Amino acid sequence: MLTIHTDTKIHKMSKDNPPVATAKSGDTVCFETLDCFGCQLKSEDQLLGGLDWSNINPATGPLFVEGAEPGDVLKVEILKIELDKQGVMVDGPGSGVTGVAVTSESTKILPVSDGMVKFNEKLSFPICPMIGVIGTAPADEGVDTGTPGPHGGNMDCTRIGEGATLYLPVNVEGALLAMGDLHALMGDGEVEVCGVEIAGAVTVRVTVLKNCALPTPFLVNKEVAMAIFSAESLDDAAVGATMSMHSFLMKELHMNEHEAGMLLSVVGNLRICQIVDPEKTCRMELPLSIMETYGYQFA
Ligand code: CA
Ligand code: CA
């Protein structure tokens, strides 16, 4: 299996990044990833203020997928996420939502073992590994790896985990897929500004889909399908995710606008992915059983 190492890291999703590896449609590829701090924080006496900011949010790649052309969709099946043995969190004045309540910086090292992450002496939780940053290159100007958008990027969606399938737009030849910013565990919202940030490795299968009308980014797991949308405000992200799913229901399930809206209002769950990045991200989730009832199958 092709493995892409962390020395290929990029800090911008851009058509100008030279591909570091090439895969055929249907190939399985492993991306080794640094944590979102570029693995600079090894102990609790290293603080946010001491970070080299040029090394923040590294993504591994980009991978060139043969046959991927603008207008196609890149299907990324997340087969496996392996994690390092410890994660890290930081905070400081002004960071995230809760940064208003702190007057100093703090770093927490969180051991990860046997499928559990230790938060403190009293609290341990089962891990739920996810990918914070995953995307393709935008058509025009590059986008910083810390920012989400129509190309994917720093979406920080807790559902982008093992067993899920992510559909991303192909904007440039080869798609130029890159990823990083794994979390051992994160709550919806990522309110303090980070999850349990951790290095690791992600194994994916990449497939080029021609003539695929899915709104992107789009994610499917064993229970739900969801449209993901990022915008400058949480309000706009919420509207975008909702209308993206509304358009999916009309185009793919052939519902009329009334039926689609009513269905979303009855069983659609509008959720916050994150409210701490330069653009905010929401998702609209619908049970997969609806697609099954309508005989719709995801490519
Ligand atoms: Ca992130
Ligand atoms: Ca992160």
Side-chain angles (χ1 to χ4, degrees):
M1 179 175 54
L2 175 63
T3 297
I4 308 179
H5 303 288
T6 53
D7 56 355
T8 64
K9 64 184 173 167
I10 54 171
H11 293 90
K12 200 177 237 197
M13 303 248 175
S14 164
K15 63 182 188 306
D16 299 327
N17 290 324
V20 297
T22 299
K24 289 188 167 55
S25 181
D27 277 358
T28 300
V29 183
C30 176
F31 290 73
E32 294 178 349
T33 59
L34 298 171
D35 72 25
C36 75
F37 306 113
C39 293
Q40 296 177 72
L41 301 173
K42 301 291 187 197
S43 69
E44 297 190 340
D45 56 7
Q46 294 175 286
L47 299 172
L48 188 60
L51 285 171
D52 169 5
W53 285 89
S54 68
N55 199 14
I56 298 296
N57 272 318
T60 301
L63 174 73
F64 186 100
V65 185
E66 286 179 3
E69 296 169 309
D72 296 343
V73 166
L74 186 67
K75 176 184 180 184
V76 184
E77 293 167 85
I78 303 162
L79 304 177
K80 193 161 140 191
I81 301 180
E82 295 159 279
L83 301 177
D84 206 349
K85 292 188 175 62
Q86 69 174 29
V88 62
M89 300 186 75
V90 298
D91 80 349
S95 72
V97 175
T98 55
V100 292
V102 300
T103 53
S104 61
E105 294 183 344
S106 178
T107 295
K108 183 194 275 293
I109 299 287
L110 302 95
V112 174
S113 66
D114 301 324
M116 300 291 285
V117 53
K118 183 179 176 185
F119 182 78
N120 63 26
E121 289 308 318
K122 287 182 176 165
L123 299 174
S124 289
F125 303 102
I127 58 170
C128 191
M130 55 164 277
I131 307 170
V133 172
I134 179 167
T136 52
D140 305 318
E141 247 177 65
V143 177
D144 185 84
T145 45
T147 303
H151 68 295
N154 195 11
M155 297 179 282
D156 286 316
C157 172
T158 52
R159 299 287 202 190
I160 304 181
E162 235 173 53
T165 299
L166 178 64
Y167 298 87
L168 290 169
V170 177
N171 304 304
V172 301
E173 205 189 331
L176 299 182
L177 177 70
M179 66 188 78
D181 185 30
L182 302 185
H183 301 155
L185 188 62
M186 190 195 98
D188 281 338
E190 202 183 19
V191 294
E192 178 272 323
V193 90
C194 54
V196 179
E197 305 295 335
I198 194 161
V202 183
T203 304
V204 298
R205 184 185 298 120
V206 289
T207 307
V208 177
L209 303 178
K210 303 285 178 188
N211 306 310
C212 174
L214 279 180
T216 52
F218 201 89
L219 190 85
V220 177
N221 68 16
K222 287 191 174 63
E223 293 92 35
V224 284
M226 68 207 79
I228 302 173
F229 199 94
S230 302
E232 201 172 327
S233 75
L234 204 51
D235 279 5
D236 287 349
V239 170
T242 303
M243 294 317 292
S244 187
M245 192 54 106
H246 188 267
S247 114
F248 166 80
L249 292 174
M250 289 181 63
K251 274 191 197 145
E252 302 291 306
L253 268 55
H254 308 295
M255 289 184 183
N256 68 33
E257 65 274 33
H258 307 287
E259 199 79 349
M262 289 178 190
L263 181 68
L264 288 178
S265 211
V266 170
V267 289
N269 285 315
L270 177 61
R271 300 190 195 276
I272 295 170
C273 295
Q274 57 76 24
I275 55 166
V276 294
D277 293 334
E279 303 242 324
K280 320 304 173 200
T281 306
C282 288
R283 63 182 187 269
M284 171 54 89
E285 300 186 347
L286 267 187
L288 268 192
S289 57
I290 292 168
M291 293 27 132
E292 283 158 15
T293 302
Y294 274 70
Y296 180 81
Q297 289 211 320
F298 289 98

